[in-house]
Amino acid sequence: MELRHLRYFRTVAEELHFGRAAERLNIAQPPLSQQIRQLERELGVTLLDRSTRKVELTPAGAAYLDRVVAILEAVEDAGELARRIAEGATGRLVIGCVGSATYSLLPALVLTLGAALPDVDVNLRGEMLAPAQITALLSGEIDLGLLRPPVDQPGLVTETLRRDRLLVALPAGHRLADRDELHIGDLRGEQFIVHAGHGRSVMNTVLAALCADAGFVPQIRHEVAETSTLVSLVAAGLGVAVVPEPTATLDVAGVRYRRLPADTVGVDLVAAYPAQPESALIGRALTVLREVARTPAPRA
């Protein structure tokens, strides 16, 4: 038995006429009759009562038709689903995101993805440090990462989305809070709040390099896992922090953001994803992501 036997039977059962059914199927009538008889022999039942005047379904044929219709529709649905997945129009997408972009980028990304890919189940993992995202990408836990470079692991592809300027987050009553712009050297002797990356946090590396160029080593008072916690501790007066500009989206009371000079090195935001297998869904998501990432970061 092949699917064509089921399609032939369904057409004959709908038309109750071999001539019209053959026309619909674009085949000759004798081969169609032979195929239906072959199906009946294989099943061991009579599906159609034939006479010179009419064709009728037997009770067995009527019951068989219900199942045949369900089978053929399921096959068609399976094919359509496979095509939509291959085209990236449906499926599941898990996105990881660093803390500074979680609050500035993800809300707009979710809305735009929802409009562009309504049949895609999007799952978000915010506040993920870059090392954790890389591990998750390699293990298949997430499909797309939004993080800070470098990403030098084999098997991962990256695309730079934008460069973010750096800000200093200060308690509202801090001695430097009234300045429009700060230099990193102004923070000598301050207590810093940083991300807990076990020496692998990208922002910790950037901070250490900036301070080294200014001739001092930053004094780390607190290490935290989430950007929201970092900003909250700054608001509590427990220290200062150097953060990417999108962090200013977290408009926490008691925090003032001040820019570093324009020639101070910034930090890139990149999209990272596995090189293989190629994914049409990732391609579609990247198209949306490029559009959203072009939106300017909030000003301090």
Side-chain angles (χ1 to χ4, degrees):
M1 186 187 302
E2 299 177 12
L3 282 176
R4 62 186 171 86
H5 292 107
L6 302 185
R7 293 191 179 100
Y8 290 171
F9 170 71
R10 177 181 179 175
T11 305
V12 173
E14 290 172 348
E15 294 291 342
L16 292 178
H17 191 282
F18 276 89
R20 291 194 298 269
E23 263 185 60
R24 273 180 57 185
L25 294 165
N26 199 28
I27 62 173
Q29 183 174 332
L32 175 59
S33 298
Q34 292 171 7
Q35 295 292 326
I36 297 301
R37 291 194 183 282
Q38 180 182 338
L39 176 63
E40 289 177 317
R41 284 196 299 272
E42 183 167 344
L43 294 173
V45 298
T46 299
L47 300 173
L48 297 163
D49 280 332
R50 306 158 178 85
S51 71
T52 56
R53 290 181 302 167
K54 62 181 179 178
V55 176
E56 291 183 322
L57 285 166
T58 65
Y64 190 62
L65 177 62
D66 289 341
R67 294 298 181 92
V68 165
V69 169
I71 289 168
L72 292 176
E73 288 180 349
V75 170
E76 291 170 4
D77 289 346
E80 177 62 18
L81 177 62
R83 285 188 290 272
R84 287 177 62 78
I85 289 176
E87 294 166 358
T90 190
R92 185 169 186 266
L93 183 67
V94 184
I95 303 175
C97 189
V98 291
S100 57
T102 295
Y103 308 99
S104 65
L105 190 64
L106 284 194
L109 180 60
V110 171
L111 287 174
T112 312
L113 278 175
L117 301 171
D119 294 327
V120 174
D121 176 19
V122 179
N123 186 280
L124 303 172
R125 300 277 304 277
E127 291 281 12
M128 287 187 75
L129 294 178
Q133 287 194 55
I134 290 170
T135 299
L137 284 167
L138 294 174
S139 69
E141 184 181 344
I142 64 174
D143 305 301
L144 180 63
L146 305 177
L147 47 85
R148 307 292 180 183
V151 180
D152 50 15
Q153 279 70 14
L156 295 182
V157 178
T158 62
E159 176 181 328
T160 301
L161 299 172
R162 70 186 187 201
R163 168 156 286 208
D164 291 326
R165 193 168 173 176
L166 295 179
L167 307 177
V168 180
L170 302 164
H174 194 276
R175 61 184 177 85
L176 300 173
D178 291 333
R179 294 195 190 179
D180 292 331
E181 186 176 272
L182 299 178
H183 293 268
I184 197 70
D186 296 329
L187 303 177
R188 186 190 305 269
E190 295 288 341
Q191 300 287 312
F192 284 86
I193 302 169
V194 299
H195 283 100
H198 305 291
R200 297 184 299 160
S201 166
V202 172
M203 282 306 303
N204 287 6
T205 302
V206 170
L207 175 64
L210 289 174
C211 293
D213 288 344
F216 70 98
V217 176
Q219 301 177 36
I220 308 301
R221 181 171 182 182
H222 291 287
E223 293 189 359
V224 299
E226 298 181 344
T227 300
S228 56
T229 304
L230 181 148
V231 174
S232 296
L233 293 185
V234 171
L238 299 180
V240 303
V242 173
V243 296
E245 190 165 17
T247 306
T249 306
L250 278 169
D251 190 16
V252 176
V255 178
R256 298 291 180 268
Y257 294 100
R258 296 294 178 261
R259 283 185 164 188
L260 291 169
D263 59 355
T264 303
V265 63
V267 287
D268 289 336
L269 179 68
V270 305
Y273 53 94
Q276 296 292 336
E278 293 184 9
S279 168
L281 179 52
I282 294 293
R284 286 194 170 209
L286 283 171
T287 299
V288 173
L289 185 55
R290 294 183 195 109
E291 176 188 342
V292 173
R294 282 197 295 267
T295 303
R299 297 182 65 84

